[in-house]
Amino acid sequence: VISDFPKDQEKVFTCIRENMGGKAARKLGLSLGSADIVRLSPFLRTLSDPAVEELRHCFESHVIRPETKIVVKGDRGLAVMYILLSGSVYVDEGLHTKGKRRVEYGAGKVFGEAEMFGVHKVYHSTVYASTLCVFQ
């Protein structure tokens, strides 16, 4: 269908992402685009209800394939934060002395807020998708 109607491709993909996002949110007991999703972020949790109401419309769903780099250590932070609704991500964190360790995070993990708000200028870790991930 998509190859027969290339002008509708983006609409179809957006619908698929939103559908996957809605299912992932419901598994967490949330609804897509709700204030509760915004309040998963420690940075945004204390905002007033009107501020959260305004922000909740700014989020969109994204689906990321396994082993995709989501953010890269040393890159300048974008005006983007990530709320993991389903799947898992990992960070290879260098220890202070030797070697690395792999740290896994699951649904409900929020990252990128410090870079989005300018607290950090660059990402301090590279974050990879371990599995198929759905983000807001």
Side-chain angles (χ1 to χ4, degrees):
V1 171
I2 292 172
S3 63
D4 290 341
F5 302 99
K7 290 181 181 176
D8 293 324
Q9 180 178 4
E10 189 53 40
K11 290 179 194 173
V12 170
F13 288 150
T14 298
C15 184
I16 290 169
R17 287 190 301 268
E18 291 303 313
N19 187 297
M20 291 178 76
K23 286 180 181 180
R26 283 190 296 280
K27 285 183 181 178
L28 291 175
L30 305 169
S31 59
L32 203 58
S34 71
D36 292 332
I37 288 180
V38 175
R39 292 194 190 284
L40 287 173
S41 164
F43 278 62
L44 303 178
R45 195 168 289 147
T46 59
L47 290 178
S48 68
D49 289 342
V52 170
E53 186 63 28
E54 186 80 25
L55 280 175
R56 72 184 186 88
H57 299 290
C58 298
F59 290 89
E60 53 187 47
S61 296
H62 292 273
V63 179
I64 308 289
R65 292 186 174 137
E67 297 307 319
T68 301
K69 288 181 185 175
I70 300 163
V71 298
V72 178
K73 181 178 182 175
D75 279 2
R76 278 198 143 321
L78 303 172
V80 176
M81 62 181 271
Y82 300 87
I83 301 173
L84 181 58
L85 297 178
S86 73
S88 62
V89 298
Y90 69 92
V91 177
D92 285 331
E93 293 185 349
L95 299 176
H96 295 294
T97 53
K98 299 178 190 175
K100 291 184 176 184
R101 64 185 175 119
R102 181 171 162 151
V103 180
E104 294 263 348
Y105 299 101
K109 174 67 176 166
V110 180
F111 59 93
E113 314 109 290
E115 292 80 11
M116 183 178 83
F117 289 118
V119 175
H120 296 139
K121 301 263 188 246
V122 298
Y123 293 111
H124 290 150
S125 301
T126 298
V127 180
Y128 302 87
S130 299
T131 62
L132 185 70
C133 293
V134 179
F135 288 95
Q136 277 277 285

